[in-house]
Amino acid sequence: MGNSSLQIIADNISVIASPTTWIEGGAIQQLQTTAKLPGMRRVAGMPDLHPGRGYPVGAAFFSVDRFYPALIGGDIGCGMRLLKTDLSTAKLSLDKLVKRLGNLDAPLIDQSDFWQERVNSCQMQDTGFEHSLGSIGGGNHFAELQQFDAIFDQTLFASYALDRKQMMLLVHSGSRGFGGQILRQHIDQFGHEGLLAESASAAAYWAQHARALQYAQANRSLIAERICANLSSAAETVLDIHHNFLSEISINGEHGFLHRKGATPADPGLLIIPGSRGDYSYLVQALDAELSCLSLFSLAHGAGRKWMRSECEARLSKRYTAAQLSRTALDSRVICHDKGLIFEEAPEAYKSIDSVIFSLQEAGLIHLVAKLKPLVSYKTSGACCV
DNA sequence: ATGTCC
């Protein structure tokens, strides 16, 4: 009964992390600050917890009477989409794969009549952000081709119709500028006070939030379609799951609002928790644990940052050139022609995914299905250098 | 994170 991965910080603050998982003090501080917001009942840090802009990332927050759009952040609907391609990993050339991937940065809507029709079919004209649909964005967003490295539960693996030799595609993106605009307009009007659940402004936020979730999912879908077209591959979607979103929930008979910011919902079915570009990704199932109330029915959404973006280049540029960082310890390729970003997203800047997965496992929150290894991680072909 | 804040 692994409760050494359950840290009780206060009676309403818990963190799921083994003693060996790196949790920055500033993140705990942000968790404590957030726990004091009016109506806040419970906050839970995941093992990938790290400091964010004002509020922590890798956490879930349960409030009553009111909710806080700022806790969801600007990238409303950010999440993971995993697909199985029809490409075999048996005899693959990474060079060829990189070449075939091509450039995914330009607005998809401008690529051809076909793509314009595909983008239009998402019915996002009214958002004013149609031109961002089908491109990945910046920060920690990526698209990654992966291959299975280990299967932990053959029966479950087979039950999801997965094939050990099939190349997988993981897309991590969100609502881009559209969600950012929603948050910005909200903050301009209401600041950080949150919205009373019954108010008209709360209803307006719910409508915008729902639209941003649709946009984010459409974006991941188009990115995947674009990549598969470049690779001449068919693809089948295995999962598409948001990790930044608001939902209504009752906990211990009390109705309220569950904010997830970088927290994967511990729902039934297959889930993916990816490591950094130089690390593995884990396919897992959530376990229906007694602890679920303390973890707010959530899991980690990735490895979690260890270093601030602003310190990465200074810490790494003495050890590595940008060109060296375009290969990883797992022999995968990194397509990131943005010198700042290639340092910011270096594997060294992230926690070890094994420590995150171990924490969730020891807390009894997950069951492992399989492990994937990166082949090609795509960030951006644009910008400069390398 | 971001057609990247003034």
Side-chain angles (χ1 to χ4, degrees), chain A residues 230-242:
Chain A
N230 288 1
L231 298 179
S232 308
S233 170
E236 212 174 300
T237 302
V238 175
L239 62 88
D240 188 303
I241 292 166
H242 308 295

Side-chain angles (χ1 to χ4, degrees), chain A residues 274-329:
Chain A
S276 74
R277 69 186 185 213
D279 213 337
Y280 299 97
S281 293
Y282 283 85
L283 276 177
V284 308
Q285 271 193 343
L287 292 174
D288 193 11
E290 281 185 40
L291 212 66
S292 295
C293 261
L294 296 179
S295 60
L296 290 176
F297 313 95
S298 299
L299 303 171
H301 78 310
R305 292 199 74 83
K306 200 167 62 184
W307 297 348
M308 281 190 302
R309 291 187 177 279
S310 53
E311 64 182 347
C312 296
E313 186 160 355
R315 292 182 78 149
L316 290 169
S317 58
K318 290 181 195 74
R319 281 158 63 191
Y320 307 106
T321 65
Q324 284 173 315
L325 288 173
S326 66
R327 307 234 170 173
T328 74

Side-chain angles (χ1 to χ4, degrees), chain A residues 71-98:
Chain A
L71 290 181
I72 305 301
D75 201 7
I76 304 161
C78 186
M80 300 288 173
R81 186 184 190 90
L82 181 70
L83 307 95
K84 52 180 185 180
T85 73
D86 64 5
L87 304 173
S88 168
T89 55
K91 49 171 179 64
L92 68 101
S93 147
L94 293 188
D95 287 331
K96 194 180 278 181
L97 216 47
V98 167

Side-chain angles (χ1 to χ4, degrees), chain A residues 12-13 30-37 40-43:
Chain A
N12 64 338
I13 307 174
Q30 287 184 336
L31 214 49
Q32 286 167 324
T33 306
T34 310
K36 292 193 185 86
L37 290 171
M40 195 58 68
R41 283 290 190 269
R42 170 162 292 283
V43 302

